Amino acid sequence: MSLNLVAVGVDTPLYRQFDYLVPNSMSDGANPGLVPGMRVRVPFGRRRIVGVVLEKPRRERGAGHVYKPIEEVLDAEPLLPGDLLQLLCWTADYYQHPIGEVIAAALPGPLRQGTKLRPRSAKMAATSRAARPELGEGPPRLTEEQNAALNALAAGSGFGVSLLQGVTGSGKTELYLRRAEDCVARDEQVLVLCPEIGLTPQLLERFAARLGASVASYHSGMTEAERAHTWLGVRSGEIKIIVGTRSAVFLPFARLGLIVVDEEHDTSFKQQEGLRYHARDVAILRAQKLGVPVILGSATPSLESLANAQAGRYRHLRLMQRVNASAVPKVQVLDIRALELTHGLSEPLLERLSANLESGGQALLFINRRGYAPVLWCGTCGWTAVCRHCDVRMTLHRSRRLLLCHQCGSEKPVPARCGECGGTELLPVGEGTERIEDALTARFPQYRLERFDSDRMRKRGEWTRLLADVRSKKIRILVGTQMLAKGHDFADLSFVGIVNADQALFGADFRAIERMGQLLTQVSGRAGRGPSTGSGQTRPGEVILQTREPQHAALQKLLREGYDGLVQQLLAERKGAGLPPHGYLALLRADALQEPAAKQFLFEAKPLLKSERVTVLGPAPAPMARRAGRCRVHLLLQSTSRGALQKLLTDVVPMLDELPTARKVRWSIDVDPADLF
Ligand code: ADP
Ligand code: ZN
Ligand code: ZN
């Protein structure tokens, strides 16, 4: 007699399939039986845990294997809709991650832990902002460019990816709103993904104000209970619009009609630990399976998306002009090699800033480093403060009076003496946001200044409160990291100073120059209308970039030919090197307390990774060879065929835990890595 078995996804890092016995009582005539997507309670080792019934075919083991019975069925109907369960299985396969952990990642805490649904909980009260008529203001009349793009977006039906490339302020969000309105009118749901929690409130506000539908956000800043509430509201169809960060791509939509990925180039869409998925890519797959359209929006699309557009796989739509007809300002390069700097700021920059502020302008100073200074240096012997656990220098945070490692988070008091020679002349070298803040506060005490970085924005609600003060122009000087470079629409910002671009030019990663191009374009795009000339006219905004590398080829290319020019050059280079988007990568990382163990593991893995179409490089130390006390080594897998790489990984990854050294290391696989660190 054959056993009645089902595969269950259980939350464990093991790659095996777990089959359980279905007791007769659960499959008799009075019982609809077990349907994929239902949660069950099962024995697992010495514990009892919650798992989800899968669709996977059951493979019976040889005689003698003892299957444990399912103890309890927790759902009367599948908690996870079939299409979502399939998406999660695909995600697990593609990113080589155990299915049980993928399912767990997609479920908010209470549901993961087995909280039963109350019979009528599908009819929950709408959590979110309900419909609110907009007072007086209707939607704006679209510009010609917007109209053309909207017609293209509305053409056709079913699945299709549109890459909407438009400069900041060109009205991309307005087009998302128009497409979303259509969906809501058909009683369909819309998913809007954005890269940062900080961007969700303003987008949420715009969708809520425009659409007569319930809108909610979904991100890691919410409590697990809030997330569960929203999760169920999406599942019941009550919530129509979700504005969320990457994990929202796994919400159980009842009737999804459109996915928008805003700032699609942003690498925050790639999760960097655990399940290393790219939310944009998962979103596209989801849309394809459901037959619904996707809009990817950005001023600076990723090379991946641009290559897809050039190959005709995506529809490429462009908005070249700002809605308010103000020109996108030209970047002025300031060669600081021969200039004296005060805390990293040159006199010409300070003078232009001063003139701008005096004429009523609002200014942003961009420095992509938090803290006071990235290096604490001994003037006597040249010693620098380094982290005990990582291969990096510690950053001086003067306001908190400590040295902080930005890699592992370890901190220590600022030493009074040099760790090497005992000298007392310890100097901060280089600058971070705090230092620029101090320098500008001293220079311009008459204007309100605020710093925007992750240290300053710890408190919930702080960001929203400060953004309001930026909008009302109470804040005149903004000093900040890339947090400010993303997506925000600051209508009155008239001056952007890029304190130092050079760090971005010399990143070790193969995507460093692409990121530099995106970041500089995004930051300078924040400068809008210039200050008034007095006669009702406005001058164009002003962007000044300080650099010691004015001749750097990539920087020159960007300044002369814009992001488009830089992209063409980078695509050609990537093609030559077989790098994405002209090749596919996966990274097998291993770390251990001692480097030899990590290396040994990869040496054991390497012979398994044999395929004619996949090149395996390494083992080699990671660019950051030691982090949080662990030595990091990796193997880089490279192929021109995504299929060949996938097949190889699918065959080999489940075997890695069986390797002799596997227990001495931590290992992980990263498919389509965002960087090679
Ligand atoms: P993007 O998303 O490309 O940065 P937005 O859609 O946010 O651009 O538009 C920038 C600003 O212009 C917003 O304040 C928006 O309300 C406004 N806007 C957009 N389209 C129009 C239009 N056709 N007429 C007038 N204002 C518009
Ligand atoms: Zn010293
Ligand atoms: Zn450290």
Side-chain angles (χ1 to χ4, degrees):
M1 192 186 92
S2 90
L3 296 170
N4 191 3
L5 298 173
V6 288
V8 175
V10 288
D11 186 1
T12 145
L14 300 175
Y15 281 86
R16 293 181 27 207
Q17 174 175 322
F18 294 93
D19 293 328
Y20 284 87
L21 198 61
V22 184
N24 287 337
S25 62
M26 285 178 198
S27 56
D28 61 20
N31 199 307
L34 284 175
V35 181
M38 285 181 176
R39 290 172 301 164
V40 288
R41 203 180 295 283
V42 291
F44 190 79
R46 296 180 176 191
R47 295 176 296 147
R48 296 163 72 237
I49 61 173
V50 176
V52 171
V53 177
L54 301 175
E55 267 167 8
K56 287 253 174 81
R58 289 140 241 175
R59 285 176 275 118
E60 289 193 26
R61 276 167 233 272
H65 186 92
V66 182
Y67 295 97
K68 292 183 184 164
I70 288 175
E71 290 186 357
E72 188 187 358
V73 184
L74 297 171
D75 296 313
E77 56 178 71
L79 178 72
L80 293 145
D83 67 303
L84 177 59
L85 193 59
Q86 279 171 17
L87 181 77
L88 296 173
C89 288
W90 178 87
T91 303
D93 291 344
Y94 185 79
Y95 292 104
Q96 307 294 334
H97 204 75
I99 179 65
E101 284 197 342
V102 175
I103 292 173
L107 285 176
L111 299 173
R112 194 163 62 229
Q113 285 138 25
T115 303
K116 289 193 191 175
L117 302 194
R118 271 170 280 121
R120 310 246 15 114
S121 66
K123 278 262 172 281
M124 43 173 285
T127 49
S128 36
R129 318 185 180 209
R132 230 190 337 173
E134 242 205 303
L135 284 167
E137 278 178 64
R141 256 178 76 130
L142 296 186
T143 63
E144 262 178 50
E145 261 191 348
Q146 278 176 312
N147 251 324
L150 184 65
N151 288 338
L153 288 173
S157 62
F159 171 71
V161 183
S162 301
L163 177 61
L164 181 60
Q165 181 177 5
V167 297
T168 40
S170 60
K172 296 185 292 297
T173 310
E174 181 59 37
L175 298 185
Y176 309 155
L177 289 167
R178 300 287 173 118
R179 296 305 298 140
E181 268 171 336
D182 271 18
C183 282
V184 170
R186 288 195 301 268
D187 198 29
E188 290 174 352
Q189 295 166 298
V190 180
L191 167 63
V192 183
L193 289 172
C194 63
E196 295 251 323
I197 293 184
L199 290 169
T200 56
Q202 60 169 15
L203 266 179
L204 189 79
E205 202 50 54
R206 281 179 77 176
F207 276 89
R210 178 68 66 82
L211 303 170
S214 78
V215 178
S217 53
Y218 193 78
H219 53 70
S220 60
M222 295 158 64
T223 65
E224 291 286 334
E226 287 168 337
R227 281 159 74 94
H229 199 61
T230 302
W231 199 95
L232 293 170
V234 170
R235 181 173 173 274
S236 72
E238 209 145 329
I239 293 174
K240 295 291 183 253
I241 315 266
I242 280 287
V243 177
T245 49
R246 60 179 178 243
S247 63
V249 78
F250 295 125
L251 282 171
F253 289 93
R255 274 170 65 82
L256 188 60
L258 170 70
I259 303 181
V260 174
V261 184
D262 195 24
E263 309 289 339
E264 70 86 27
H265 65 280
D266 200 297
T267 44
S268 305
F269 284 121
K270 179 81 200 273
Q271 180 148 303
Q272 305 279 24
E273 73 280 330
L275 170 62
R276 292 167 169 80
Y277 68 102
H278 199 303
R280 175 199 61 211
D281 298 346
V282 174
I284 291 170
L285 184 96
R286 187 167 193 181
Q288 189 175 19
K289 301 269 182 223
L290 290 174
V292 304
V294 184
I295 305 175
L296 306 179
S298 176
T300 52
S302 62
L303 295 193
E304 278 79 0
S305 296
L306 285 166
N308 275 319
Q310 287 177 7
R313 284 187 288 268
Y314 297 173
R315 188 192 281 143
H316 197 180
L317 306 171
R318 302 204 60 166
L319 299 174
M320 312 293 281
Q321 279 146 27
R322 287 180 165 176
V323 178
N324 65 16
S326 68
V328 179
K330 216 171 145 48
V331 177
Q332 304 165 56
V333 174
L334 190 59
D335 180 357
I336 51 172
R337 279 174 299 184
L339 298 178
E340 208 171 298
L341 303 179
T342 319
H343 300 293
L345 300 166
S346 68
E347 205 47 43
L349 177 103
L350 288 166
E351 275 163 21
R352 295 306 308 149
L353 173 59
S354 171
N356 182 283
L357 292 166
E358 269 167 39
S359 60
Q362 186 181 46
L364 183 160
L365 274 292
F366 172 76
I367 170 100
N368 210 10
R369 204 150 46 188
R370 61 201 172 86
Y372 187 85
V375 184
L376 186 67
W377 180 75
C378 170
T380 313
C381 75
W383 169 88
T384 56
V386 292
C387 177
R388 277 171 56 211
H389 314 288
C390 311
D391 284 344
V392 291
R393 296 194 172 111
M394 294 186 91
T395 301
L396 174 64
H397 284 248
R398 226 160 74 163
S399 55
R400 291 165 67 191
R401 297 214 179 87
L402 46 83
L403 291 171
L404 192 67
C405 171
H406 285 184
Q407 288 303 322
C408 72
S410 70
E411 45 187 65
K412 59 183 179 195
V414 181
R417 293 172 169 279
C418 168
E420 197 68 39
C421 73
T424 52
E425 197 197 339
L426 296 182
L427 303 170
V429 176
E431 50 283 324
T433 46
E434 276 185 21
R435 190 169 196 174
I436 302 300
E437 175 187 22
D438 280 11
L440 292 178
T441 306
R443 173 99 174 205
F444 302 108
Q446 68 273 43
Y447 303 116
R448 177 164 164 210
L449 177 151
E450 290 287 351
R451 173 161 60 86
F452 295 79
D453 58 25
S454 53
D455 295 324
R456 178 77 177 76
M457 297 303 147
R458 287 240 179 92
K459 258 191 282 162
R460 219 179 161 177
E462 190 77 341
W463 181 233
T464 318
R465 191 175 65 76
L466 285 178
L467 280 183
D469 285 356
V470 173
R471 297 251 150 75
S472 63
K473 246 176 137 180
K474 284 188 191 128
I475 297 171
R476 296 290 299 283
I477 308 175
L478 296 77
V479 173
T481 57
Q482 57 172 339
M483 191 178 251
L484 283 179
K486 292 183 183 181
H488 295 286
D489 172 28
F490 301 128
D492 291 309
L493 200 72
S494 50
F495 181 97
V496 169
I498 298 164
V499 176
N500 193 327
D502 301 349
Q503 196 193 0
L505 290 172
F506 295 102
D509 198 72
F510 76 95
R511 289 185 211 264
I513 296 295
E514 175 187 355
R515 299 229 174 98
M516 180 278 297
Q518 288 163 347
L519 200 55
L520 293 191
T521 308
Q522 294 274 348
V523 178
S524 35
R526 301 298 137 208
R529 289 159 289 200
S532 164
T533 54
S535 52
Q537 297 273 321
T538 54
R539 287 191 297 254
E542 194 171 354
V543 181
I544 296 183
L545 180 149
Q546 294 194 138
T547 178
R548 291 179 197 280
E549 303 285 338
Q551 300 307 326
H552 190 288
L555 185 60
Q556 283 293 328
K557 190 89 184 166
L558 179 68
L559 295 170
R560 290 215 190 100
E561 298 173 36
Y563 185 69
D564 288 346
L566 181 65
V567 162
Q568 289 318 319
Q569 178 177 322
L570 292 178
L571 282 175
E573 287 173 12
R574 298 268 183 98
K575 194 165 195 172
L579 288 169
H582 292 292
Y584 303 95
L585 300 180
L587 207 56
L588 176 59
R589 296 188 176 92
D591 65 57
L593 291 172
Q594 310 294 336
E595 195 197 68
K599 265 214 171 118
Q600 175 63 26
F601 172 76
L602 295 181
F603 275 122
E604 288 164 5
K606 197 170 176 177
L608 301 176
L609 293 161
K610 271 217 165 66
S611 157
E612 267 176 27
R613 307 192 56 189
V614 180
T615 312
V616 183
L617 302 168
M624 180 163 306
R626 208 166 58 97
R627 182 177 185 177
R630 302 186 65 95
C631 300
R632 310 165 73 237
V633 184
H634 63 218
L635 281 180
L636 181 63
L637 287 77
Q638 195 173 5
S639 179
T640 51
S641 157
R642 193 193 284 277
L645 184 57
Q646 274 300 310
K647 167 142 194 351
L648 180 66
L649 292 175
T650 303
D651 291 345
V652 173
V653 170
M655 300 196 271
L656 293 176
D657 262 338
E658 311 298 323
L659 292 174
T661 322
R663 275 159 206 267
K664 301 202 177 109
V665 304
R666 280 195 321 215
W667 65 267
S668 63
I669 188 90
D670 193 348
V671 176
D672 303 334
D675 60 48
L676 304 184
F677 280 80

